Amino acid sequence: MSNTSHEVASGPYHSGGAAPSALSAHSVSKRFPGVLANDSVDFDIQPGEVHTLLGENGAGKSTLAAMLCGLYQPDSGYIARNGQRVVLSSPRAGLQHGIAMVHQHFRLVDRFTVAENVILGSRNLSFVLDRRSINERVSEVAESYGLPIDPTATVGDLSVGQRQRVEIVKALYQGAEILLLDEPTAVLVPAEVEKLFENVHAMTQAGKSIVFISHKLGEVVEISDRVTVLRGGKVTGHVSGRGATDTKDLARLMVGRDINLGTQRASHPTGHEVLQIRDVSLNVNGVNVLSNISFNVHEGEMVGIAGVAGNGQKELADTIAGLLSPTSGSISIGGATATDRGPIHARELGLAYVPEDRLGMGLVPSMSILDNLLLTRDRHIVVDRASVRPEATRLIEQFEIKANGPDHLARKLSGGNAQKVLLARELSGGRTATKLLVVCSPTRGLDVGAIETVRRLLDDARSAGQAILLISEDLDEIMSLADRILVLYRGSIAHETPGETAQIATVGAAMAGLTTGVNG
Ligand SMILES: Nc1ncnc2c1ncn2[C@@H]1O[C@H](COP(=O)(O)OP(=O)(O)OP(=O)(O)O)[C@@H](O)[C@H]1O
Ligand SMILES: [Mg+2]
């Protein structure tokens, strides 16, 4: 590839005398071992526009975004900025052209303040400024886009939504004109999403361009001026957004068939109590993270735990899984005590667990899919790897995991496909028969086709008599799947209702701490 950096780009989007695109990709291709992640992709974005990249897990969205910001270089094809061909050899080079990517996994330094994080890596000799003027400048940039942040706050103390705001302010402070947001809403609660969308409007009003990636089709319809659909690394469609299309159309374009995400509830009467939680409290460093939690989950029943992140969900799940010991109270699985017995014991009692923190606890990035699938199998049995291969291959097929076979390393999977491996392992129950399934946000980051599959598998597990505890911030998901809904607020159960008759307004109010008491 030539290194000339100021050839005039020609491409499908600006023939004639039209203004050049702010940023464009021209027939870019990118190959990873065994996969053509981008195959002659054309893409462009105009000033003041929100252009969404949509596609199934592994379709090539993050790869394209990475080439647009200088993180990866195309194998062939090229990138142009304002119609001029550019070579973006690194993210820093991208930034020099006013392009910044906000990654889903934030790259902030926890113990630094907001302002320190924002100026970190800036080249304009910020260190000669005193702390006060730095704080002022950071606030100024933030407020001009309606992104209020406290420059003196320590990043480690911030919520996920606030951290994301810091990342965006950092990009703007560094002079970004084009922001690439890779699944920014996957980690946000509904109120934070609304706020982010207001910020996006403020930025596009000011002439900035936004490349947006999301699997949430409702959001895509709401925020996008244009949508480009990728499938298997190729562009397969263009749609205009903002009400000109609906979520059903987008789903069909993405996966090539209709998707049904309707209501599914227990079709059989429920059986014995599988999980019993009695008066469980958990105190961490003097803070009551869980207070007197009591509930049961029966055979063939799915109980949903709704709540805004950080209200004790993660600790509740880890306590049930034996990773945390409750300060008081008891837990039993299948009639046997699980309190203080540790995670291996919990598994032996028939627990399968899909934790919140996938890569930290669920998957080992440096291991293959096959070895990750074997990870939680019964330790007393010497596993014959060869005999498990066909099963691994079958799971890869069943879960539509985009990989070149069982030996594919976990860290080389796209975000959604890594998640599918974890779900495949826990839902396939290859070891001790699963009695209790505890799943945290099982469909976060998955494309609509995969969401449909996972929901069906959860429903099948329920029909087969497993007890399921579904912990999710996705209220729609809980409302459409759970037989019973409990709302966790500040470590206590603030509301309980049957799924069938649950009112979204009432559940939402309880999540916000606006009601107390248990009824229904
Ligand atoms: N660093 C890498 N090494 C090897 N293969 C990779 C690498 N990054 C991505 N791939 C592969 O390239 C393809 C496209 O991945 P990409 O991450 O762009 O998908 P995506 O559309 O962002 O998916 P998701 O919605 O799951 O995040 C996938 O098959 C993935 O396994
Ligand atoms: Mg991705």
Side-chain angles (χ1 to χ4, degrees), residues 32-33 35 37 55-64 72 182-183 215 402 408 411-417 445:
F32 293 113
V35 53
E56 296 176 276
N57 297 126
K61 305 176 296 292
S62 295
T63 303
L64 177 59
Y72 294 160
D182 195 353
E183 298 197 40
H215 287 292
K402 302 240 160 51
H408 197 107
R411 76 180 144 78
K412 293 190 174 170
L413 291 166
S414 78
N417 282 300

Side-chain angles (χ1 to χ4, degrees), residues 122-142:
S122 294
R123 274 219 167 145
N124 43 13
L125 298 181
S126 309
F127 59 85
V128 298
L129 296 171
D130 64 81
R131 187 169 290 273
R132 239 179 73 201
S133 45
I134 290 172
N135 289 347
E136 274 167 22
R137 282 183 48 183
V138 169
S139 293
E140 231 169 75
V141 171

